């Protein structure tokens, strides 16, 4: 039944994309001739004549994803998903106080009834509902404070461990307190103490039916602090500590993680004609369990780490090319039977921006990974950008599972080479800062591990692609 719905809807989506192609061609040439006034994007707050103290903004995104040769254990054939994400945020701001609410509607319209799609939906949910105090001249003349209480989303530091996802339609929110003290072009101190929010409905069938149920706080406490300091020569230095302590709750069985994560980062941002780099390392210690099964009561000693290292060069040339080499490492569990767990936990981080697209693909995650890669980024003009990236995907621990695939060879006999991933994305504003088209693809040539592991799907090389049309207002 789903397949027949897909067959009627897909041509419509493709037609919409095809129709946008001429608009694309038109906007390319005269863009330079347009005055700033003509190019002004549609903004809801202007359209409804909102007063200056009221911010109103949002977006609607439509995405079709397709994956051939499923690689997640227990899946077969191909997966696909047609989904939408609608966001609407309203914030009332006074001199020092603000209050805001943001509604999310992440909905699956058509697709397969499994794989990663249930993790992408959350129908009609207030993901943010907060009050904030934002005084100036705090501690120093230039010091500003933002103290937020309620439910909110967070982007912290590199976004590798705590992030508001960009590609993922479902959003992770937190309930509690967050304080950010900062000086413009100076240091920033972020501290928070929150409960992560668990998506309801918690079961996959209800999620796939876009069932509306208000989310609830998980039985977990997540606290942390990050200190960030700009240095001479365009450098940024950061140090952070996060602590997560969770228990099982009725709606959210957990791996009972009790983890402290300590990390540091040094970055020099890309700029034309110079070398840029980024180094981040984090160590993780505490207790966790091997599975989220309520029957799993064995606490394992958790010791893990992750590394991201990257160096790039931006050429002062047409299309502003940037060529970068990167290496990502995150430990995996070395031995399933030793009472210890070395599998790094990426907490609430985003991975789409440096490892692989997520959605129904998500083949590479910041856990049990050793991955060197090369990446070329291009900006053909002010309206578009693109990148292409090639990575080798090795397991750090051959006896542990690949990413979130559950494909595993507990003996380690299938080796560590999961595959080689070729991935790229092209984005173009059809109307600048308003309507944007994204086309992306990933292909993984399977290595020995995905070919031979006992519970591999036995399908061919995974091939993934998506097309997205997004309207921001
Ligand atoms: Ca919900
Ligand atoms: Ca548990
Ligand atoms: Ca172990």
């Amino acid at each position: 039944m789903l397949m027949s719905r897909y067959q009627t809807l897909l041509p419509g989506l493709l037609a919409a994309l095809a129709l946008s192609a001429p608009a694309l061609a038109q906007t390319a040439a005269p863009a330079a001739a347009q005055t700033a006034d003509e190019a002004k994007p549609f903004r809801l707050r202007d359209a409804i004549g909102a007063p200056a103290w009221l911010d109103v903004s949002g977006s609607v995104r439509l995405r079709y994803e397709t994956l051939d040769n499923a690689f997640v254990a227990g899946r077969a054939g191909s997966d696909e998903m047609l989904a939408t994400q609608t966001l609407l945020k309203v914030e009332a701001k006074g001199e020092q106080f603000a209050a805001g609410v943001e509604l999310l509607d992440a909905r699956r319209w058509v697709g397969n009834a499994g794989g990663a799609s249930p993790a992408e939906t959350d129908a009609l949910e207030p993901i943010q509902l907060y009050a904030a105090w934002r005084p100036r001249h705090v501690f120093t003349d230039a010091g500003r404070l933002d103290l937020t209480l309620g439910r909110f989303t967070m982007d912290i530091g590199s976004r590798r461990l705590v992030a508001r996802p960009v590609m993922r339609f479902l959003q992770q929110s937190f309930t509690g307190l967050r304080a950010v003290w900062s000086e413009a072009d100076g240091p920033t101190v972020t501290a928070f103490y929150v409960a992560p929010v668990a998506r309801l409905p918690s079961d996959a069938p209800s999620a796939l039916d876009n069932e509306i149920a208000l989310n609830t706080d998980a039985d977990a406490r997540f606290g942390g602090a990050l200190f960030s300091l700009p240095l001479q020569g365009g450098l940024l230095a950061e140090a952070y500590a996060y602590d997560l302590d969770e228990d099982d709750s009725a709606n959210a069985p957990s791996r009972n993680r009790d983890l402290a994560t300590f990390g540091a980062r040094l970055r020099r941002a890309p700029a034309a004609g110079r070398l840029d780099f980024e180094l981040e390392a984090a160590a993780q210690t505490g207790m966790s369990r091997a599975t989220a099964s309520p029957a799993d009561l064995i606490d394992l000693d958790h010791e893990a780490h992750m590394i991201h290292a990257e160096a790039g060069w931006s050429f002062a040339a047409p299309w502003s090319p940037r060529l970068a080499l990167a290496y990502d490492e995150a430990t995996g569990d070395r031995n399933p039977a030793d009472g210890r767990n070395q599998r790094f936990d990426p907490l609430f981080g985003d991975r789409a921006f440096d490892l692989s697209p997520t959605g129904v693909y998500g083949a590479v995650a910041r856990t049990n990974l050793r991955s060197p890669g090369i990446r070329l980024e291009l900006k053909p003009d002010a309206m578009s950008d693109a990148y292409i990236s090639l990575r080798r995907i090795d397991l750090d621990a051959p006896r542990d599972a690949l990413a979130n695939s559950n494909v595993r060879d507990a003996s380690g006999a299938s080796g560590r080479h999961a595959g080689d991933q070729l991935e790229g994305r092209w984005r173009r504003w059809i109307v600048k800062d308003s309507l944007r088209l994204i086309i992306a693809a990933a292909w993984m040539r399977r290595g020995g591990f995905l070919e031979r592991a006992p519970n591999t799907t036995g399908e061919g090389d995974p091939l993934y692609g998506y097309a997205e049309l997004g309207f921001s207002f």
Side-chain angles (χ1 to χ4, degrees):
M1 196 178 76
L2 285 173
M3 285 305 284
S4 63
R5 281 173 64 198
Y6 134 72
Q7 276 155 2
T8 54
L9 272 172
L10 182 59
L13 177 67
L14 292 177
L17 292 178
L19 283 174
S20 64
L24 239 151
Q26 277 173 10
T27 49
Q34 280 176 347
T35 69
D37 258 9
E38 282 167 339
K40 217 174 176 186
F42 172 84
R43 287 294 178 255
L44 183 59
R45 58 161 302 163
D46 299 333
I48 62 172
W53 53 267
L54 195 66
D55 270 348
V56 182
S57 64
S59 59
V60 181
R61 296 153 74 194
L62 168 70
R63 184 158 76 218
Y64 174 73
E65 301 181 36
T66 173
L67 169 67
D68 261 355
N69 297 322
F71 57 90
V72 169
R75 305 289 298 160
S78 53
D79 273 334
E80 66 175 351
M81 178 169 70
L82 177 66
T84 52
Q85 184 205 52
T86 307
L87 287 167
L88 179 66
K89 183 178 177 187
V90 178
E91 186 179 86
K93 288 188 300 193
E95 190 74 355
Q96 286 201 7
F97 293 93
V101 59
E102 184 175 25
L103 292 174
L104 162 75
D105 185 74
R107 199 171 278 263
R108 184 196 73 136
W109 297 99
V110 178
N112 301 86
S117 8
E120 290 282 327
T121 73
D122 195 0
L124 207 60
E125 182 67 44
I127 53 166
Q128 299 207 83
L129 183 61
Y130 59 83
W133 180 44
R134 296 166 183 165
R136 291 159 183 255
H137 316 299
V138 179
F139 302 133
T140 64
D141 197 42
R144 307 184 64 159
L145 182 68
D146 183 335
L147 191 66
T148 301
L149 179 72
R151 182 167 289 184
F152 42 82
T153 56
M154 298 197 286
D155 266 328
I156 299 188
S158 68
R159 303 181 60 255
R160 291 189 177 93
L161 298 176
V162 188
R164 176 178 167 126
V166 176
M167 182 181 171
R168 191 181 185 192
F169 278 1
L170 182 143
Q171 297 291 317
Q172 174 68 52
S173 23
F174 302 90
T175 307
L177 183 68
R178 176 187 53 189
V180 181
W181 178 86
S182 61
E183 284 184 350
D185 305 316
T188 300
V189 182
T190 303
F192 61 89
Y193 187 73
V194 295
V197 173
R199 195 271 318 271
L200 290 184
S202 55
D203 65 299
S206 306
L208 291 171
D209 282 346
N210 304 315
E211 203 174 275
I212 298 170
L214 285 183
N215 295 353
T216 183
D217 294 347
D219 189 357
R221 294 140 300 276
F222 184 45
L226 179 139
F227 178 68
S228 144
L229 185 67
L231 302 171
Q232 297 291 320
L235 288 174
L236 179 78
E238 277 177 3
Y240 55 83
Y242 303 134
D243 187 76
L244 173 67
D245 185 3
E246 69 180 355
D247 293 303
D248 293 335
S249 60
N251 290 310
S254 78
R255 285 182 290 112
N256 298 67
R257 293 171 293 175
D258 184 357
L259 301 176
T261 307
F262 304 94
R265 181 166 83 113
L266 187 65
R267 177 175 191 249
R268 188 186 196 206
R274 78 172 194 194
L275 184 76
D276 61 80
F277 66 89
E278 184 175 17
L279 273 174
E280 180 170 6
Q284 198 166 62
T285 179
M287 307 275 255
S288 60
R289 294 180 183 169
T291 69
S293 160
D296 185 348
L297 299 174
I298 303 171
D299 285 323
L300 306 170
D301 281 329
H302 187 108
E303 293 290 340
H305 74 255
M306 74 88 155
I307 295 168
H308 173 82
E310 180 173 341
W313 185 273
S314 300
F315 298 86
W319 290 30
S320 316
R322 173 176 179 263
L323 188 64
L325 296 172
Y327 175 71
D328 285 276
E329 178 176 299
T331 49
D333 187 32
R334 290 198 284 269
N335 175 352
D338 63 356
R340 297 169 181 278
N341 186 10
Q342 291 90 20
R343 188 173 170 87
F344 184 79
D345 191 302
L347 302 176
F348 306 96
D350 193 359
R351 56 194 163 112
F353 63 96
D354 51 24
L355 296 180
S356 79
T358 49
V360 301
Y361 179 66
V364 190
R366 202 172 301 286
T367 190
N368 195 20
L369 178 72
R370 289 184 195 175
S371 176
I374 182 167
R375 180 182 175 106
L376 175 66
E377 300 169 358
L378 299 168
K379 286 195 182 73
D381 53 54
M383 303 287 273
S384 62
D385 61 60
Y387 73 79
I388 186 162
S389 142
L390 178 66
R391 282 186 166 272
R392 180 181 168 97
I393 314 297
D394 276 344
L395 306 182
D396 174 66
R399 301 176 70 178
D400 196 359
L402 165 69
N404 308 318
S405 71
N406 289 322
V407 177
R408 178 174 201 162
D409 184 343
S411 76
S414 301
R416 66 170 82 238
H417 185 209
D420 301 286
Q421 174 187 267
L422 182 65
E423 180 224 336
R425 182 186 71 188
W426 175 75
R427 302 189 295 192
R428 179 165 189 95
W429 290 109
I430 296 165
V431 178
K432 182 121 174 93
D433 298 329
S434 176
L435 186 64
R436 185 163 70 172
L437 176 67
I438 306 178
I439 293 176
W443 175 68
M444 167 120 69
R445 188 181 66 185
R446 287 169 311 152
F449 173 79
L450 271 182
E451 282 177 343
R452 295 193 300 268
N455 63 342
T456 188
T457 60
E459 304 278 348
D461 297 335
L463 176 63
Y464 168 80
Y466 75 83
E468 177 180 315
L469 200 54
F471 175 53
S472 307
F473 52 83

